Amino acid sequence: MSELLTKSAARNIFYGGSAFFFAIFIGLVAHTHYYARTTSTDESRLTASVINGKHIWEKHACINCHTILGEGAYFAPELGNVWLRYDGDKDPKSAREALKAWMINQPTGIEGRRQMPKFVFTDKELDDLISFLEWSSTIKTNNWPPNKAG
Amino acid sequence: MKYQTQAIAKWYWIAALALFAVQVLAGLVAGYIYVQPNFLSELLPFNIVRMLHSNALIVWLLLGFFGAAYYIIPEESEHEIHSPAIAYFQLILLLVGTLGAVVTYIFNLFPGNPIFGMQGREFLEQPLWVKLGIIVAALAFLYNVTLTVLAGRKTAITNILLLGLWGIAVFFLFSLYNPGNLVLDKVYWWWVVHLWVEGVWELVMASVLAFIMLKLTGVDREVIEKWLYVIVATALFSGVLGTGHHYYWIGAPYYWTWIGSIFSSLEVIPFFAMVLFTFMMVWKGKRNHPNKAALLWALGCSTLAFFGAGVWGFMHTLHPVNYYSHGTQVTAAHGHLAFFGAYVSLNLAIMTYAFPHIFGVKPYNQVLNMVSFWLLSGAMAFMTFVLTFAGAVQTHLQRVMGMSYMEVQDQLALFYWMRLGAGLAVVIGALLFIYAILGPKKEATGLEGAALQPAE
């Protein structure tokens, strides 16, 4: 490497530059935090039921098969927009019933088809979980996914 | 081995290799479930198998890093590790935590319990008590190695290694923050995941590679350390704001599509710099080191990291592309080669270099070790190619044509079968590597635990 750059200059550029970029990053994430709470999500609808639904989603490790907003495992369908796929925005009552019926009937046991584990949910837990999926479908995601297939 | 306490690395690496075996076996089972979905579906569902696969990987890579630190720091600092007792206490703590996490996943112990139950955020599934144990272990580790470095000679290699390890511990603290708002959850989840693998882990990678180059090629330290600073500067300048490529579609502001696209495109630079660095050092170096397998792994590491992390990452990082490919098998393809190239190969390189010194034998089982390199690398490349094809087909059918997820998956069966074959080769390669490293050895140098000169 050229003699123009000494080791101590390289070191100073590394420390100074990293601090500079990290400071910008923190500033932008602070704004992103504010944006997430005020613009991209509706916190007035972030009820105790939705938050409890999120914990149910977590403690059953759903994300290790499904994706939500494109993140997770790629073994089962995207669920960020599952509420819209079930037309929950048009007929919330039917969508809720259909999703419940789907979940309590797992696993299907059909040969050669991917199996969802058997989860034992109370009716309230099912409601909370679906409320979480419903709330997630309202996040402003820069219009991702491209279509209903998720 | 010049310093007695370098031998601490031995047990860290043996534990790491055991978990490496667990990781690839869990991967093989997961790959089999993809083609035979009824397999184990009631006993050990896919989500549990996948947790074992990804968590075993993370823990063994970290154990490998800790081992590398314990091996490198005494030699660089010219000072014994402050306290071997703390180092072994840290290892036991990590192993108890790992075992606890595994048992909790498999038997679903304490479901829903906030302290003992699994937490189920991707990669951060460890129960809270395990997370706290990891933090205690990290603090013990940092205390131990920082005191060692402060008491001894300070080099650029130890500076960067230490900065990377401190960063790992600091960013892990964000795993404790789990807000109810999914968007905020994701924003800070990436502070652990991205700022680890595309940030501070790269500092560890570059400093360990620099140490290996210093030993294997004999190039002047001044030259190597200047390269090291340039590499890590480009890594953090691009990687920190490159976090933006995870903020495109999760409810973060639109400006991230630009910032993420620009800076994450630049993330290829440090990986390319590491290729230039390793090949130039070998080309310039005059030392003819007998450990050819370590050299192969080190060059393989920078090359495969460049393709897996750099090229495959760039392929889908621009936001107009990522809009369609996000969360498909394209991501899986990139993830597999990136982790293998950058971090698995790095660990196997330093182990291949250091184990002969620890055991006090001449570089041993070189042919077996090199065969395992080609088998593992070839199989991982093949796996990456078939997953990339699967991802391209999936992206088109699902994201462009709007076909439903399960219908699309049926179209990908051929690729999943080929991935399974590659996975089997990976398992064989991993077992071969472990045998080459830990199996029978000949040609003792009679220098176990003593100075090994002149070739080091």
Side-chain angles (χ1 to χ4, degrees):
Chain A
M1 200 169 286
S2 150
E3 297 301 317
L4 291 172
L5 182 72
T6 62
K7 189 172 107 181
S8 61
R11 184 191 61 212
N12 294 341
I13 291 170
F14 165 65
Y15 285 116
S18 298
F20 172 75
F21 284 108
F22 199 67
I24 294 177
F25 180 64
I26 289 176
L28 289 174
V29 169
H31 174 258
T32 300
H33 188 110
Y34 174 77
Y35 177 89
R37 297 200 55 186
T38 56
T39 310
S40 63
T41 69
D42 183 357
E43 284 209 343
S44 68
R45 292 178 61 195
L46 187 62
T47 59
S49 166
V50 172
I51 291 171
N52 188 44
K54 179 170 181 281
H55 290 311
I56 292 166
W57 159 267
E58 286 162 0
K59 73 186 182 196
H60 293 93
C62 307
I63 201 154
N64 277 292
C65 288
H66 292 279
T67 50
I68 190 159
L69 307 187
E71 291 165 5
Y74 317 111
F75 187 70
E78 161 69 25
L79 295 186
N81 66 343
V82 70
W83 182 251
L84 306 176
R85 213 155 47 234
Y86 276 69
D87 291 325
D89 50 339
K90 297 181 193 103
D91 183 357
K93 199 157 174 285
S94 307
R96 193 167 276 270
E97 290 312 314
L99 280 166
K100 274 188 192 176
W102 170 264
M103 282 192 267
I104 57 177
N105 283 318
Q106 304 302 316
T108 60
I110 298 170
E111 197 60 34
R113 193 183 158 79
R114 293 184 191 172
Q115 300 294 312
M116 182 161 143
K118 181 173 182 60
F119 295 119
V120 184
F121 293 123
T122 64
D123 207 46
K124 180 182 180 304
E125 284 176 324
L126 272 174
D127 265 322
D128 290 349
L129 183 55
I130 292 166
S131 298
F132 166 66
L133 295 174
E134 179 185 359
W135 184 84
S136 299
S137 76
T138 64
I139 296 169
K140 294 191 181 67
T141 57
N142 293 329
N143 294 319
W144 193 90
N147 57 50
K148 266 193 184 179
Chain B
M1 210 169 64
K2 291 174 182 160
Y3 297 88
Q4 296 297 330
T5 47
Q6 286 181 286
I8 294 168
K10 180 167 99 177
W11 290 105
Y12 275 84
W13 284 337
I14 288 174
L17 288 173
L19 279 171
F20 181 29
V22 172
Q23 182 227 334
V24 293
L25 286 171
L28 189 65
V29 172
Y32 188 67
I33 294 174
Y34 255 93
V35 295
Q36 294 293 322
N38 303 84
F39 182 64
L40 290 181
S41 64
E42 313 263 325
L43 270 177
L44 201 63
F46 181 86
N47 61 339
I48 307 295
V49 178
R50 191 204 187 236
M51 280 200 290
L52 293 175
H53 181 54
S54 58
N55 283 260
L57 168 72
I58 297 164
V59 176
W60 91 254
L61 294 178
L62 288 172
L63 286 172
F65 292 167
F66 291 138
Y70 283 122
Y71 187 84
I72 291 172
I73 284 173
E75 201 159 319
E76 283 291 295
S77 306
E78 299 180 334
H79 196 282
E80 296 283 2
I81 290 291
H82 174 70
S83 162
I86 291 180
Y88 289 116
F89 162 76
Q90 178 209 347
L91 177 61
I92 290 166
L93 206 58
L94 289 169
L95 293 181
V96 169
T98 304
L99 204 65
V102 168
V103 171
T104 307
Y105 298 162
I106 292 179
F107 299 103
N108 192 21
L109 302 177
F110 313 106
N113 185 303
I115 296 171
F116 296 105
M118 70 181 173
Q119 294 198 321
R121 294 163 77 212
E122 194 186 11
F123 311 136
L124 305 180
E125 294 94 347
Q126 312 82 26
L128 182 62
W129 71 269
V130 176
K131 285 199 179 77
L132 297 176
I134 292 172
I135 290 167
V136 172
L139 286 175
F141 170 77
L142 291 172
Y143 168 81
N144 209 3
V145 293
T146 305
L147 281 189
T148 309
V149 168
L150 289 179
R153 180 178 65 150
K154 285 139 198 92
T155 69
I157 290 175
T158 53
N159 279 352
I160 300 297
L161 184 59
L162 216 54
L163 187 65
L165 294 163
W166 271 95
I168 289 174
V170 168
F171 291 121
F172 185 69
L173 296 178
F174 284 90
S175 73
L176 299 176
Y177 176 61
N178 182 16
N181 185 323
L182 182 69
V183 176
L184 291 181
D185 173 355
K186 284 176 176 290
V187 166
Y188 294 101
W189 180 82
W190 284 113
W191 279 53
V192 188
V193 178
H194 175 94
L195 292 180
W196 268 24
V197 300
E198 293 167 64
V200 290
W201 282 31
E202 282 184 48
L203 305 191
V204 175
M205 176 183 173
S207 57
V208 172
L209 275 181
F211 176 80
I212 295 174
M213 287 300 122
L214 190 66
K215 298 294 163 184
L216 293 186
T217 68
V219 171
D220 191 53
R221 178 183 287 276
E222 280 299 304
V223 176
I224 285 180
E225 295 196 330
K226 190 156 68 174
W227 267 98
L228 177 58
Y229 278 123
V230 171
I231 291 167
V232 292
T234 57
L236 291 193
F237 295 1
S238 62
V240 172
L241 286 173
T243 313
H245 67 179
H246 302 294
Y247 289 173
Y248 296 164
W249 326 116
I250 62 166
Y254 188 74
Y255 54 72
W256 285 112
T257 55
W258 283 94
I259 295 170
S261 293
I262 292 167
F263 282 90
S264 70
S265 297
L266 302 176
E267 283 183 42
V268 73
I269 294 172
F271 289 107
F272 189 63
M274 281 191 262
V275 173
L276 287 182
F277 166 62
T278 50
F279 279 83
M280 275 180 64
M281 292 307 105
V282 172
W283 176 63
K284 284 173 75 169
K286 296 182 180 62
R287 185 176 288 168
N288 188 15
H289 196 283
N291 198 334
K292 299 296 176 213
L295 192 63
L296 182 62
W297 275 111
L299 294 174
C301 171
S302 62
T303 308
L304 291 166
F306 169 65
F307 282 102
V311 177
W312 252 254
F314 176 70
M315 186 169 71
H316 60 138
T317 203
L318 296 174
H319 77 268
V321 175
N322 193 262
Y323 183 66
Y324 293 98
S325 68
H326 178 52
T328 64
Q329 294 296 326
V330 172
T331 318
H334 159 60
H336 279 84
L337 197 60
F339 267 89
F340 176 76
Y343 301 122
V344 172
S345 301
L346 180 79
N347 270 305
L348 302 187
I350 184 72
M351 287 181 200
T352 300
Y353 168 75
F355 260 124
H357 296 317
I358 290 174
F359 285 129
V361 292
K362 288 181 182 165
Y364 54 95
N365 295 342
Q366 290 270 294
V367 174
L368 274 186
N369 191 320
M370 289 196 259
V371 169
S372 81
F373 169 84
W374 289 108
L375 192 56
L376 278 166
S377 305
M380 287 307 297
F382 188 84
M383 186 184 294
T384 303
F385 297 148
V386 294
L387 288 179
T388 306
F389 291 129
V393 172
Q394 183 188 5
T395 300
H396 189 75
L397 292 182
Q398 189 180 321
R399 296 287 166 68
V400 180
M401 310 293 283
M403 238 165 107
S404 86
Y405 176 89
M406 287 309 298
E407 269 182 285
V408 174
Q409 290 298 310
D410 289 339
Q411 301 295 316
L412 305 179
L414 174 68
F415 300 114
Y416 293 141
W417 275 107
M418 292 198 279
R419 187 264 299 273
L420 178 64
L424 185 64
V426 168
V427 170
I428 295 169
L431 296 177
L432 196 60
F433 179 87
I434 294 170
Y435 179 81
I437 287 289
L438 299 177
K441 296 165 272 291
K442 294 174 200 144
E443 296 197 76
T445 54
L447 289 172
E448 184 171 3
L452 205 60
Q453 292 287 357
E456 299 186 342

